[in-house]
Amino acid sequence: MAFLWLTGLRKAPKLSFDNVKTLSSQAFFLAATHVAGVISFGAGAISFTHILKATEPVWSALILGLGFKEFLPLPVYLSLVPIMAGVGLASLKELSFTWLSFTAGTISAVTSATKAILSKKVLDGKPMGENLTPANMFAVLTILGFLMILPASLLIEGPSAVSAAYKASIAAGHTNAELARLLGASGFLYYLYNEVAFLALSEVAPVTHAVANTVKRVVIIIASVLVFRNPVSQLGAIGSAIAIAGACGYSIAKSRCKPKPKAE
């Protein structure tokens, strides 16, 4: 982003201190979503993490109801049932199940739901500096999130831990060039994937985005099985399909039903 802004290929955002304070809560939950997601990916199968992340609608409904007294129509709540049932089936027969992966994946879904709700509550209809396009919004949130987690990162995984991991990788047969290539590609593609998601949400209808998001999870799960040989049981595959279909149904139902007014 610094390259794009400095070269003028993309106009840099201009934000006041108050703007930055307003964005800080979303930045925190964005960082928490990514950190928990990466931990879950590392502790279990990629497919299992994406099934857990599909529970985001369930947490959104709970947070809106318990935290903001905003309740959704009955068809929307009914669409949550297959999500919970599917995740239960997938967890029951997940061949690479670990509690760390399950807990981190769930935290990622909860923080992602919280970020989305806060973004709607805090930013809806408010002017926010100059040149704050969806792509720049994600860049600013990522930078703020990085600054927030940097102290914890240095405390938990400081230079000595990084050095030990590097030496272990070299001892395992990886070269400096290979490590640089893999880390660089992983970071760039992960950032690009999230920026594209921000752009897509701003350009298409909610139902279109919901369906595309569901297809994305299906593609990732299939790729993880075919390319990375992640083992998936038959019952786990059925549970995954049910949960993903439920997530798609929730998004479609929510876009077609108006929420109920706040309870007095």
Side-chain angles (χ1 to χ4, degrees), residues 104-184:
T106 301
I107 290 174
S108 182
V110 173
T111 53
S112 181
T114 305
K115 174 185 66 65
I117 292 171
L118 285 178
S119 295
K120 184 70 175 176
K121 298 293 182 184
V122 175
L123 300 179
D124 195 21
K126 291 184 179 179
M128 192 63 61
E130 297 180 30
N131 303 326
L132 200 62
T133 61
N136 278 345
M137 167 73 84
F138 181 68
V140 170
L141 293 179
T142 300
I143 292 169
L144 292 175
F146 163 75
L147 295 175
M148 288 178 182
I149 66 173
L150 182 59
S153 298
L154 293 175
L155 182 65
I156 298 172
E157 294 183 331
S160 59
V162 174
S163 176
Y166 169 75
K167 291 177 181 177
S169 297
I170 296 299
H174 299 286
T175 65
N176 288 326
E178 183 184 11
L179 289 174
R181 184 176 68 254
L182 290 174
L183 287 171

Side-chain angles (χ1 to χ4, degrees), residues 46 78 96 100 103 105 129 139 153 179 183 185 195 199 202 214 237 251-252:
I46 296 174
L78 291 177
S96 59
L100 178 58
T103 303
S153 298
L179 289 174
L183 287 171
E195 182 179 293
L199 291 171
S202 66
T214 301
S251 299
I252 294 174

Side-chain angles (χ1 to χ4, degrees), residues 15-254:
L15 300 171
S16 67
F17 181 70
D18 287 338
N19 294 150
V20 173
K21 286 197 301 182
T22 301
L23 294 172
S24 61
S25 59
Q26 292 89 277
F28 171 80
F29 285 107
L30 177 69
T33 297
H34 289 326
V35 170
V38 170
I39 291 173
S40 183
F41 286 138
I46 296 174
S47 56
F48 184 53
T49 299
H50 276 280
I51 296 305
L52 295 173
K53 289 170 77 68
T55 63
E56 183 179 333
V58 178
W59 302 111
S60 294
L62 285 174
I63 294 169
L64 282 173
L66 298 177
F68 297 94
K69 305 300 180 184
E70 293 184 12
F71 300 98
L72 303 169
L74 181 59
V76 179
Y77 285 117
L78 291 177
S79 69
L80 299 176
V81 176
I83 298 178
M84 294 183 287
V87 171
L89 285 175
S91 301
L92 184 65
K93 288 297 182 178
E94 171 57 40
L95 299 178
S96 59
F97 179 90
T98 66
W99 279 109
L100 178 58
S101 178
F102 179 85
T103 303
T106 301
I107 290 174
S108 182
V110 173
T111 53
S112 181
T114 305
K115 174 185 66 65
I117 292 171
L118 285 178
S119 295
K120 184 70 175 176
K121 298 293 182 184
V122 175
L123 300 179
D124 195 21
K126 291 184 179 179
M128 192 63 61
E130 297 180 30
N131 303 326
L132 200 62
T133 61
N136 278 345
M137 167 73 84
F138 181 68
V140 170
L141 293 179
T142 300
I143 292 169
L144 292 175
F146 163 75
L147 295 175
M148 288 178 182
I149 66 173
L150 182 59
S153 298
L154 293 175
L155 182 65
I156 298 172
E157 294 183 331
S160 59
V162 174
S163 176
Y166 169 75
K167 291 177 181 177
S169 297
I170 296 299
H174 299 286
T175 65
N176 288 326
E178 183 184 11
L179 289 174
R181 184 176 68 254
L182 290 174
L183 287 171
S186 176
F188 175 75
L189 292 174
Y190 194 60
Y191 182 90
L192 186 62
Y193 145 69
N194 283 283
E195 182 179 293
V196 169
F198 261 62
L199 291 171
L201 185 57
S202 66
E203 295 293 335
V204 300
V207 174
T208 304
H209 189 268
V211 174
N213 200 44
T214 301
V215 172
K216 175 199 74 176
R217 295 202 188 283
V218 173
V219 171
I220 291 175
I221 290 172
I222 293 175
S224 72
V225 173
L226 297 179
V227 178
F228 298 106
R229 307 297 181 186
N230 287 335
V232 178
S233 66
Q234 183 177 6
L235 187 58
I238 294 173
S240 301
I242 293 173
I244 291 174
C248 183
Y250 165 86
S251 299
I252 294 174
K254 188 178 178 184

